[in-house]
Amino acid sequence: FQPRWNGGDAFRTAFFNALSFSFPAGEQWFIDSVKRGLLALPPAEQQRHADEVRGFVGQEATHRRVHALFNGHLAKQGLPNDIERRALRRQMQLEREQSARMAGELEAARRVQVAMLPRDDQFRDDARLDLAATMVPAREVGGDLYDFFKLDGRRLFFLVGDVAGKGLSASIFMAVSKALAKSAAVRHPDDDIGTWMTAVNREISRDNTEALFVTAFAGILDLDSGDLVYCNAGHDAPYCVGAASGLRRLVAGDGPPLCTVDDFEYHGEHTFLDPGELVVLVTDGVTDMRDPAGAMYGRARMEAVLEGRRSQAGSARAAVDALRGDVQAFAAGAEPADDLTALAIRWNGKPGI
Protein backbone atom coordinates (compact mmCIF):
# COMPACT_ATOMS: atom_id res chain seq x y z
CA PHE A 1 0.00 0.00 0.00
CA GLN A 2 0.99 3.62 -0.46
CA PRO A 3 2.97 5.44 2.27
CA ARG A 4 0.09 7.95 2.66
CA TRP A 5 -2.60 5.28 2.67
CA ASN A 6 -5.16 7.29 4.72
CA GLY A 7 -6.71 9.41 1.96
CA GLY A 8 -3.31 10.88 1.11
CA ASP A 9 -3.28 12.74 4.44
CA ALA A 10 0.24 12.58 5.92
CA PHE A 11 -0.81 13.48 9.48
CA ARG A 12 -3.72 11.03 9.70
CA THR A 13 -1.58 8.28 8.18
CA ALA A 14 1.28 8.89 10.64
CA PHE A 15 -1.18 9.05 13.56
CA PHE A 16 -2.79 5.70 12.78
CA ASN A 17 0.61 4.15 11.99
CA ALA A 18 1.77 5.15 15.47
CA LEU A 19 -1.37 3.63 17.00
CA SER A 20 -0.76 0.40 15.12
CA PHE A 21 2.82 0.30 16.38
CA SER A 22 1.55 0.56 19.96
CA PHE A 23 -1.20 -2.06 19.71
CA PRO A 24 0.77 -5.36 19.88
CA ALA A 25 2.48 -4.38 23.16
CA GLY A 26 -0.72 -2.83 24.54
CA GLU A 27 -2.91 -5.78 23.65
CA GLN A 28 -0.40 -8.19 25.21
CA TRP A 29 -0.53 -6.08 28.37
CA PHE A 30 -4.37 -6.32 28.32
CA ILE A 31 -4.18 -10.10 27.91
CA ASP A 32 -1.69 -10.53 30.76
CA SER A 33 -3.63 -8.20 33.07
CA VAL A 34 -6.95 -9.99 32.50
CA LYS A 35 -5.34 -13.41 33.06
CA ARG A 36 -3.78 -12.23 36.32
CA GLY A 37 -7.08 -10.70 37.39
CA LEU A 38 -8.87 -14.00 36.78
CA LEU A 39 -6.36 -15.90 38.90
CA ALA A 40 -6.87 -13.42 41.74
CA LEU A 41 -10.58 -14.28 41.96
CA PRO A 42 -12.01 -16.99 44.25
CA PRO A 43 -12.28 -20.41 42.53
CA ALA A 44 -16.04 -20.13 42.03
CA GLU A 45 -15.67 -16.72 40.37
CA GLN A 46 -12.84 -18.00 38.18
CA GLN A 47 -15.08 -20.73 36.86
CA ARG A 48 -17.94 -18.28 36.24
CA HIS A 49 -15.78 -15.87 34.21
CA ALA A 50 -13.53 -18.42 32.47
CA ASP A 51 -15.42 -18.43 29.14
CA GLU A 52 -15.66 -14.64 29.09
CA VAL A 53 -11.92 -14.28 29.66
CA ARG A 54 -11.15 -16.95 27.07
CA GLY A 55 -13.19 -15.02 24.47
CA PHE A 56 -11.49 -11.72 25.36
CA VAL A 57 -8.01 -13.25 25.10
CA GLY A 58 -8.84 -14.76 21.70
CA GLN A 59 -10.15 -11.42 20.44
CA GLU A 60 -7.12 -9.46 21.64
CA ALA A 61 -4.72 -12.07 20.32
CA THR A 62 -6.33 -11.71 16.87
CA HIS A 63 -6.01 -7.92 17.00
CA ARG A 64 -2.38 -8.28 18.07
CA ARG A 65 -1.67 -10.55 15.11
CA VAL A 66 -3.39 -8.24 12.58
CA HIS A 67 -1.44 -5.21 13.78
CA ALA A 68 1.81 -7.18 13.80
CA LEU A 69 1.26 -8.05 10.12
CA PHE A 70 0.39 -4.42 9.29
CA ASN A 71 3.47 -3.20 11.18
CA GLY A 72 5.59 -5.58 9.13
CA HIS A 73 4.51 -3.75 5.99
CA LEU A 74 5.29 -0.40 7.64
CA ALA A 75 8.79 -1.70 8.43
CA LYS A 76 9.28 -2.50 4.74
CA GLN A 77 8.55 1.20 4.06
CA GLY A 78 11.43 2.11 6.37
CA LEU A 79 9.32 3.21 9.37
CA PRO A 80 11.06 2.23 12.65
CA ASN A 81 8.86 0.78 15.42
CA ASP A 82 10.40 2.57 18.39
CA ILE A 83 7.38 1.79 20.57
CA GLU A 84 7.87 -1.96 20.20
CA ARG A 85 11.62 -1.66 20.90
CA ARG A 86 10.95 0.41 24.04
CA ALA A 87 8.33 -2.12 25.18
CA LEU A 88 10.78 -4.99 24.66
CA ARG A 89 13.53 -3.16 26.56
CA ARG A 90 11.08 -2.45 29.40
CA GLN A 91 9.96 -6.08 29.48
CA MET A 92 13.57 -7.28 29.60
CA GLN A 93 14.32 -4.83 32.42
CA LEU A 94 11.29 -6.04 34.40
CA GLU A 95 12.33 -9.65 33.91
CA ARG A 96 15.89 -8.87 35.08
CA GLU A 97 14.53 -7.08 38.16
CA GLN A 98 12.18 -9.97 38.90
CA SER A 99 15.02 -12.47 38.52
CA ALA A 100 17.20 -10.42 40.86
CA ARG A 101 14.42 -10.25 43.44
CA MET A 102 13.81 -13.98 43.16
CA ALA A 103 17.53 -14.70 43.49
CA GLY A 104 17.66 -12.52 46.59
CA GLU A 105 14.62 -14.23 48.09
CA LEU A 106 16.06 -17.68 47.38
CA GLU A 107 19.39 -16.68 48.88
CA ALA A 108 17.56 -15.48 51.99
CA ALA A 109 15.64 -18.78 52.09
CA ARG A 110 18.93 -20.68 51.79
CA ARG A 111 20.38 -18.79 54.76
CA VAL A 112 17.28 -19.52 56.81
CA GLN A 113 17.42 -23.20 55.89
CA VAL A 114 21.09 -23.51 56.78
CA ALA A 115 20.47 -21.70 60.07
CA MET A 116 17.80 -24.30 60.94
CA LEU A 117 20.32 -27.15 60.75
CA PRO A 118 22.13 -27.89 64.02
CA ARG A 119 25.81 -27.08 64.42
CA ASP A 120 27.89 -30.24 64.34
CA ASP A 121 30.43 -28.88 66.83
CA GLN A 122 27.97 -28.47 69.70
CA PHE A 123 29.08 -31.74 71.35
CA ARG A 124 32.83 -31.19 71.08
CA ASP A 125 33.14 -31.23 74.89
CA ASP A 126 31.54 -34.68 75.14
CA ALA A 127 34.35 -37.23 74.86
CA ARG A 128 31.89 -40.04 74.21
CA LEU A 129 31.08 -39.02 70.66
CA ASP A 130 32.35 -37.27 67.59
CA LEU A 131 29.84 -35.94 65.04
CA ALA A 132 29.95 -34.21 61.65
CA ALA A 133 27.39 -33.36 58.97
CA THR A 134 27.09 -31.67 55.59
CA MET A 135 24.20 -30.71 53.34
CA VAL A 136 24.66 -29.37 49.80
CA PRO A 137 21.37 -28.46 48.06
CA ALA A 138 21.09 -29.09 44.33
CA ARG A 139 19.42 -25.67 44.05
CA GLU A 140 19.48 -22.61 46.27
CA VAL A 141 17.31 -24.49 48.75
CA GLY A 142 16.75 -28.21 49.12
CA GLY A 143 14.60 -30.95 50.57
CA ASP A 144 17.19 -32.88 52.58
CA LEU A 145 17.20 -32.62 56.35
CA TYR A 146 19.19 -33.75 59.34
CA ASP A 147 18.93 -33.14 63.04
CA PHE A 148 20.58 -34.29 66.26
CA PHE A 149 20.16 -33.37 69.90
CA LYS A 150 20.39 -34.95 73.31
CA LEU A 151 17.24 -36.32 74.89
CA ASP A 152 19.07 -36.33 78.23
CA GLY A 153 22.61 -36.61 79.50
CA ARG A 154 22.96 -40.14 78.17
CA ARG A 155 20.98 -40.42 74.92
CA LEU A 156 21.62 -38.78 71.54
CA PHE A 157 18.76 -38.55 69.05
CA PHE A 158 19.63 -38.20 65.35
CA LEU A 159 17.67 -38.05 62.10
CA VAL A 160 18.35 -37.85 58.37
CA GLY A 161 15.57 -37.40 55.82
CA ASP A 162 14.89 -36.65 52.18
CA VAL A 163 11.74 -34.97 50.89
CA ALA A 164 10.62 -36.10 47.43
CA GLY A 165 11.39 -33.24 45.08
CA LYS A 166 13.72 -30.24 45.07
CA GLY A 167 13.51 -26.49 45.32
CA LEU A 168 11.31 -24.21 47.38
CA SER A 169 8.32 -26.52 47.94
CA ALA A 170 10.58 -29.37 49.10
CA SER A 171 12.50 -27.03 51.41
CA ILE A 172 9.30 -25.78 53.06
CA PHE A 173 8.07 -29.34 53.58
CA MET A 174 11.52 -30.23 54.94
CA ALA A 175 11.29 -27.46 57.52
CA VAL A 176 7.82 -28.58 58.62
CA SER A 177 8.88 -32.24 58.80
CA LYS A 178 11.99 -31.44 60.82
CA ALA A 179 10.06 -29.29 63.29
CA LEU A 180 7.33 -31.90 63.79
CA ALA A 181 9.87 -34.71 64.19
CA LYS A 182 11.85 -32.84 66.85
CA SER A 183 8.69 -31.76 68.65
CA ALA A 184 7.50 -35.37 68.91
CA ALA A 185 10.88 -36.53 70.25
CA VAL A 186 11.13 -33.73 72.81
CA ARG A 187 7.54 -34.15 74.04
CA HIS A 188 7.85 -37.94 74.38
CA PRO A 189 11.55 -38.68 74.96
CA ASP A 190 10.90 -42.13 76.42
CA ASP A 191 8.73 -43.43 73.58
CA ASP A 192 9.87 -46.46 71.64
CA ILE A 193 11.55 -45.34 68.39
CA GLY A 194 8.91 -47.16 66.32
CA THR A 195 6.11 -45.44 68.25
CA TRP A 196 7.83 -42.12 67.65
CA MET A 197 8.08 -42.76 63.86
CA THR A 198 4.40 -43.76 63.75
CA ALA A 199 3.42 -40.51 65.50
CA VAL A 200 5.60 -38.42 63.17
CA ASN A 201 4.05 -40.09 60.12
CA ARG A 202 0.61 -39.19 61.41
CA GLU A 203 1.57 -35.57 62.16
CA ILE A 204 3.36 -34.87 58.86
CA SER A 205 0.58 -36.51 56.82
CA ARG A 206 -2.12 -34.38 58.45
CA ASP A 207 -1.81 -31.25 56.26
CA ASN A 208 0.11 -32.66 53.30
CA THR A 209 -2.02 -31.07 50.57
CA GLU A 210 0.75 -31.40 47.94
CA ALA A 211 1.00 -35.18 48.50
CA LEU A 212 4.75 -35.02 49.14
CA PHE A 213 6.54 -37.78 51.02
CA VAL A 214 9.69 -38.11 53.11
CA THR A 215 12.19 -40.90 53.58
CA ALA A 216 13.69 -40.83 57.06
CA PHE A 217 16.10 -42.74 59.28
CA ALA A 218 16.11 -41.99 63.01
CA GLY A 219 18.16 -43.40 65.84
CA ILE A 220 18.82 -43.00 69.55
CA LEU A 221 22.36 -43.77 70.68
CA ASP A 222 23.14 -44.56 74.30
CA LEU A 223 26.40 -42.69 74.79
CA ASP A 224 27.37 -44.77 77.82
CA SER A 225 26.77 -48.27 76.44
CA GLY A 226 26.88 -47.90 72.64
CA ASP A 227 23.38 -49.35 72.35
CA LEU A 228 21.70 -47.97 69.22
CA VAL A 229 17.95 -48.23 68.59
CA TYR A 230 16.73 -47.10 65.19
CA CYS A 231 13.84 -47.05 62.74
CA ASN A 232 13.84 -46.62 58.99
CA ALA A 233 11.02 -45.09 56.91
CA GLY A 234 12.04 -45.94 53.34
CA HIS A 235 15.50 -44.35 53.59
CA ASP A 236 18.81 -45.73 52.34
CA ALA A 237 20.08 -48.03 55.09
CA PRO A 238 23.09 -46.45 56.82
CA TYR A 239 26.51 -48.02 57.30
CA CYS A 240 28.51 -48.84 60.39
CA VAL A 241 32.28 -48.76 59.98
CA GLY A 242 34.61 -50.22 62.62
CA ALA A 243 38.13 -51.60 62.78
CA ALA A 244 36.90 -54.89 64.27
CA SER A 245 33.34 -55.10 62.94
CA GLY A 246 34.20 -54.05 59.39
CA LEU A 247 31.62 -52.48 57.10
CA ARG A 248 28.00 -53.40 57.79
CA ARG A 249 24.56 -51.99 56.97
CA LEU A 250 21.62 -51.47 59.29
CA VAL A 251 19.03 -53.05 57.00
CA ALA A 252 16.43 -54.08 59.62
CA GLY A 253 13.61 -51.94 60.98
CA ASP A 254 12.49 -50.79 57.54
CA GLY A 255 9.07 -49.37 56.65
CA PRO A 256 7.52 -47.20 53.91
CA PRO A 257 8.37 -43.51 53.50
CA LEU A 258 6.44 -41.08 55.66
CA CYS A 259 3.15 -39.81 54.18
CA THR A 260 2.69 -42.84 51.90
CA VAL A 261 0.75 -45.29 54.12
CA ASP A 262 -1.76 -43.89 56.61
CA ASP A 263 -1.55 -45.23 60.16
CA PHE A 264 1.37 -47.53 59.37
CA GLU A 265 2.84 -49.05 62.54
CA TYR A 266 6.62 -48.68 62.48
CA HIS A 267 8.85 -50.91 64.57
CA GLY A 268 12.33 -50.21 65.84
CA GLU A 269 15.46 -52.37 65.84
CA HIS A 270 18.69 -52.17 67.81
CA THR A 271 22.37 -52.94 67.54
CA PHE A 272 25.54 -52.26 69.55
CA LEU A 273 28.46 -50.12 68.43
CA ASP A 274 32.06 -50.90 69.26
CA PRO A 275 34.19 -48.08 70.69
CA GLY A 276 35.48 -46.08 67.72
CA GLU A 277 32.79 -47.36 65.34
CA LEU A 278 31.21 -44.90 62.91
CA VAL A 279 27.58 -44.67 61.82
CA VAL A 280 27.33 -42.99 58.40
CA LEU A 281 24.01 -41.83 56.95
CA VAL A 282 23.53 -40.31 53.50
CA THR A 283 20.72 -39.28 51.16
CA ASP A 284 20.44 -40.59 47.60
CA GLY A 285 22.08 -37.41 46.29
CA VAL A 286 25.35 -39.24 47.07
CA THR A 287 24.77 -42.53 45.26
CA ASP A 288 22.74 -40.93 42.43
CA MET A 289 25.37 -38.30 41.56
CA ARG A 290 26.39 -38.50 37.89
CA ASP A 291 29.55 -37.51 36.10
CA PRO A 292 29.57 -35.45 32.85
CA ALA A 293 29.21 -38.68 30.83
CA GLY A 294 26.09 -39.69 32.75
CA ALA A 295 27.64 -42.53 34.79
CA MET A 296 26.27 -42.91 38.32
CA TYR A 297 28.45 -42.70 41.43
CA GLY A 298 26.75 -45.75 42.90
CA ARG A 299 26.83 -47.68 46.14
CA ALA A 300 29.98 -49.67 45.38
CA ARG A 301 32.16 -46.57 45.14
CA MET A 302 30.68 -45.15 48.32
CA GLU A 303 31.36 -48.43 50.14
CA ALA A 304 34.97 -48.33 48.92
CA VAL A 305 35.40 -44.87 50.48
CA LEU A 306 33.85 -46.05 53.76
CA GLU A 307 35.93 -49.23 53.74
CA GLY A 308 38.99 -47.00 53.55
CA ARG A 309 38.01 -45.43 56.87
CA ARG A 310 38.44 -48.77 58.70
CA SER A 311 42.22 -48.56 58.70
CA GLN A 312 42.23 -44.87 59.58
CA ALA A 313 41.30 -43.93 63.12
CA GLY A 314 39.92 -40.68 61.80
CA SER A 315 37.23 -38.34 63.02
CA ALA A 316 33.62 -38.13 61.89
CA ARG A 317 34.56 -34.93 60.04
CA ALA A 318 37.30 -36.78 58.15
CA ALA A 319 34.77 -39.42 57.06
CA VAL A 320 32.23 -36.83 55.88
CA ASP A 321 34.89 -34.80 54.06
CA ALA A 322 36.33 -37.91 52.40
CA LEU A 323 32.90 -38.94 51.10
CA ARG A 324 31.93 -35.47 49.96
CA GLY A 325 35.30 -34.91 48.29
CA ASP A 326 35.11 -38.22 46.42
CA VAL A 327 31.58 -37.45 45.18
CA GLN A 328 32.61 -34.01 43.97
CA ALA A 329 35.71 -35.40 42.27
CA PHE A 330 33.54 -37.99 40.51
CA ALA A 331 31.01 -35.36 39.40
CA ALA A 332 33.81 -33.26 37.88
CA GLY A 333 31.66 -30.15 37.82
CA ALA A 334 28.47 -31.81 36.54
CA GLU A 335 25.23 -30.29 37.77
CA PRO A 336 23.89 -32.32 40.73
CA ALA A 337 20.48 -33.91 40.22
CA ASP A 338 19.63 -34.05 43.90
CA ASP A 339 20.61 -32.62 47.28
CA LEU A 340 23.63 -34.24 48.94
CA THR A 341 23.61 -34.90 52.68
CA ALA A 342 25.89 -36.94 54.92
CA LEU A 343 25.92 -37.41 58.69
CA ALA A 344 28.61 -39.34 60.58
CA ILE A 345 28.56 -40.23 64.28
CA ARG A 346 31.56 -41.88 65.95
CA TRP A 347 30.96 -43.49 69.31
CA ASN A 348 34.18 -43.30 71.28
CA GLY A 349 32.98 -45.31 74.25
CA LYS A 350 32.52 -44.19 77.83
CA PRO A 351 35.73 -42.76 79.31
CA GLY A 352 37.29 -45.02 81.94
CA ILE A 353 35.69 -48.22 80.60
Side-chain angles (χ1 to χ4, degrees):
F1 52 82
Q2 296 297 317
R4 296 183 179 182
W5 55 268
N6 198 330
D9 189 311
F11 175 80
R12 289 171 59 87
T13 299
F15 177 76
F16 283 107
N17 285 348
L19 283 179
S20 183
F21 278 147
S22 70
F23 280 166
E27 283 155 350
Q28 185 61 54
W29 183 85
F30 285 149
I31 290 171
D32 293 341
S33 297
V34 169
K35 285 181 175 180
R36 286 194 295 268
L38 180 66
L39 293 176
L41 294 175
E45 291 295 305
Q46 289 185 32
Q47 187 173 3
R48 189 161 71 89
H49 293 287
D51 290 340
E52 183 181 1
V53 169
R54 192 177 299 110
F56 174 82
V57 169
Q59 168 187 291
E60 293 304 305
T62 301
H63 291 169
R64 181 186 60 195
R65 176 60 177 162
V66 169
H67 284 288
L69 292 173
F70 182 79
N71 293 344
H73 288 292
L74 295 180
K76 291 178 181 178
Q77 294 180 359
L79 298 177
N81 190 349
D82 291 334
I83 294 176
E84 184 176 34
R85 282 197 291 270
R86 286 199 299 271
L88 287 173
R89 284 197 298 269
R90 177 58 178 161
Q91 181 63 29
M92 290 175 62
Q93 178 64 24
L94 289 174
E95 290 176 356
R96 283 195 295 267
E97 291 173 358
Q98 183 178 11
S99 296
R101 283 195 299 271
M102 179 62 71
E105 291 170 1
L106 289 175
E107 174 59 24
R110 187 194 69 81
R111 292 196 300 269
V112 170
Q113 184 179 37
V114 170
M116 289 178 60
L117 298 173
R119 292 172 56 93
D120 57 7
D121 61 353
Q122 61 181 291
F123 304 126
R124 60 180 178 270
D125 295 330
D126 192 332
R128 297 171 297 178
L129 82 152
D130 179 28
L131 187 150
T134 187
M135 196 274 280
V136 183
R139 298 179 182 173
E140 288 85 352
V141 288
D144 282 6
L145 62 104
Y146 65 79
D147 203 357
F148 42 81
F149 50 89
K150 287 183 178 179
L151 296 173
D152 50 41
R154 179 169 178 161
R155 295 178 300 160
L156 174 76
F157 178 94
F158 61 91
L159 166 72
V160 168
D162 184 1
V163 176
K166 296 179 288 294
L168 195 56
S169 62
S171 72
I172 294 172
F173 199 67
M174 178 278 284
V176 172
S177 301
K178 178 178 176 295
L180 291 174
K182 184 170 185 176
S183 175
V186 171
R187 284 186 288 111
H188 304 286
D190 296 321
D191 275 359
D192 171 79
I193 191 76
T195 302
W196 171 85
M197 190 73 83
T198 301
V200 170
N201 181 45
R202 185 164 50 249
E203 288 296 322
I204 298 177
S205 300
R206 194 186 307 279
D207 296 315
N208 183 17
T209 57
E210 297 297 319
L212 297 172
F213 65 88
V214 191
T215 66
F217 184 97
I220 299 175
L221 174 63
D222 188 316
L223 298 174
D224 285 346
S225 68
D227 185 25
L228 172 63
V229 295
Y230 61 90
C231 188
N232 193 341
H235 199 77
D236 282 350
Y239 288 87
C240 293
V241 188
S245 58
L247 182 67
R248 59 190 177 101
R249 295 188 76 190
L250 302 179
V251 294
D254 200 11
L258 302 175
C259 305
T260 59
V261 181
D262 292 340
D263 299 320
F264 184 85
E265 295 290 335
Y266 292 87
H267 299 283
E269 292 289 339
H270 81 93
T271 187
F272 285 96
L273 301 183
D274 293 330
E277 191 168 9
L278 275 168
V279 181
V280 181
L281 305 93
V282 300
T283 57
D284 56 11
V286 173
T287 53
D288 291 353
M289 179 66 77
R290 294 183 181 273
D291 67 8
M296 188 177 291
Y297 182 81
R299 193 175 306 283
R301 180 160 176 159
M302 181 178 70
E303 290 177 353
V305 173
L306 296 178
E307 184 71 32
R309 309 311 305 169
R310 286 183 60 191
S311 59
Q312 305 176 30
S315 64
R317 171 53 56 193
V320 167
D321 289 347
L323 186 57
R324 178 177 174 175
D326 192 63
V327 171
Q328 291 178 334
F330 174 84
E335 190 74 17
D338 204 352
D339 309 326
L340 184 156
T341 297
L343 169 66
I345 302 170
R346 184 175 188 264
W347 182 61
N348 296 324
K350 186 177 181 180
I353 297 181

